[in-house]
C-alpha cells in the first residue's frame, strides 16, 4: 500500500512506501539523530540500529520526499501481538503532517491485517502527539533499567473496520 500527500506551500510531496534493506542506514541515522532523544533519553538510542534483518522481518514503511526520496519519517508495525514498534519523523520535517500521514497509513495497514487495535509504548514526550491522532492512554509501562530508565505511557489505537 502506498499513500501520498502534497501540502501546498508548506512542505514536500510525500510518498509512503515499504522500506527496503537499502533504507537501513538512513533509518538508523534518523533514530540516532532525533532531538526527541536528547538527554536524558540519549542512552536509549545511542547504539540503536534498524538493520536490513529488522526491515525484512517487520512491516516497516518510510515517508519519503517524492522529488529526491529523502526519508522524512518511518514506522514499524508488528502484527502479532499488534504494536507500533517504532515511529520517527526527521527533526526538520516535524510540523509538516508526516507523523499524521504515517499514523493514517499504519491504521490502514492494521485494518488490512484484520487487527482491532495497535498498542504503543510511547516515548514520554510523544504521548501528546499520539493522543492527538486518536490513541487512548491505557496505562504505564514501567522502567526496565538499564535499557529504559523511565516509565513510559502505554496507549492503544482502536482500529475500526472500514464500512
Amino acid at each position: 500500500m502506498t499513500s501520498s500527500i502534497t501540502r501546498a506551500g508548506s512542505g514536500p510531496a510525500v510518498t509512503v512506501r515499504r522500506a527496503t534493506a537499502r533504507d537501513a542506514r538512513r533509518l538508523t541515522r534518523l533514530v540516532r539523530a532525533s532531538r526527541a532523544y536528547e538527554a536524558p533519553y540519549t542512552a536509549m538510542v545511542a547504539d540503536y540500529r534498524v538493520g536490513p534483518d529488522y526491515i525484512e522481518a517487520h512491516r516497516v514503511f518510510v515517508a519519503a520526499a517524492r522529488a529526491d526520496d529523502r526519508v522524512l519519517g518511518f514506522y514499524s508495525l508488528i502484527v502479532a501481538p499488534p504494536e507500533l514498534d517504532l515511529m520517527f519523523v526527521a527533526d526538520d520535517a516535524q510540523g509538516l503532517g508526516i507523523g499524521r500521514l504515517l499514523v493514517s497509513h499504519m491504521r490502514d495497514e492494521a485494518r488490512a491485517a484484520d487487527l482491532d487495535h495497535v498498542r504503543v509504548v510511547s516515548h514520554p514526550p510523544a504521548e501528546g502527539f499520539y493522543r492527538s491522532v486518536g490513541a487512548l492512554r491505557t496505562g504505564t509501562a514501567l522502567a526496565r533499567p538499564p535499557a529504559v530508565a523511565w516509565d513510559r505511557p502505554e496507549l492503544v489505537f482502536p482500529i475500526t473496520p472500514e464500512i
Side-chain angles (χ1 to χ4, degrees):
M1 177 178 295
T2 299
S3 300
S4 63
I5 62 169
T6 303
R7 294 189 58 182
S10 64
V14 178
T15 298
V16 177
R17 61 168 173 78
R18 189 77 185 244
T20 68
R22 291 187 332 252
D23 294 313
R25 285 187 180 165
R26 295 191 292 175
L27 301 186
T28 296
R29 277 195 302 269
L30 196 155
V31 169
R32 290 181 182 175
S34 175
R35 284 194 313 257
Y37 282 86
E38 291 178 335
Y41 305 111
T42 304
M44 186 173 175
V45 297
D47 296 322
Y48 199 88
R49 178 178 168 268
V50 181
D53 52 337
Y54 181 89
I55 291 169
E56 189 173 308
H58 301 293
R59 294 177 185 215
V60 182
F61 291 88
V62 171
R66 269 196 238 143
D68 59 5
D69 200 42
R70 183 171 73 95
V71 173
L72 303 172
F74 77 98
Y75 77 89
S76 172
L77 175 65
I78 296 174
V79 175
E83 184 166 359
L84 178 62
D85 188 39
L86 298 171
M87 184 171 173
F88 283 84
V89 174
D91 293 336
D92 64 350
Q94 292 183 11
L96 299 177
I98 305 302
R100 290 181 184 281
L101 174 66
L102 290 170
V103 167
S104 176
H105 190 276
M106 180 275 301
R107 287 179 150 202
D108 290 344
E109 282 293 312
R111 194 173 292 110
D114 291 326
L115 303 178
D116 64 358
H117 72 282
V118 174
R119 175 180 181 251
V120 181
V121 176
S122 176
H123 178 48
E127 179 183 6
F129 167 75
Y130 286 124
R131 292 178 69 166
S132 78
V133 292
L136 306 172
R137 178 86 185 245
T138 58
T140 301
L142 299 178
R144 291 187 338 242
V148 181
W150 55 89
D151 293 345
R152 295 163 295 152
E154 186 172 349
L155 304 105
V156 67
F157 281 102
I159 306 298
T160 55
E162 214 162 45
I163 298 173

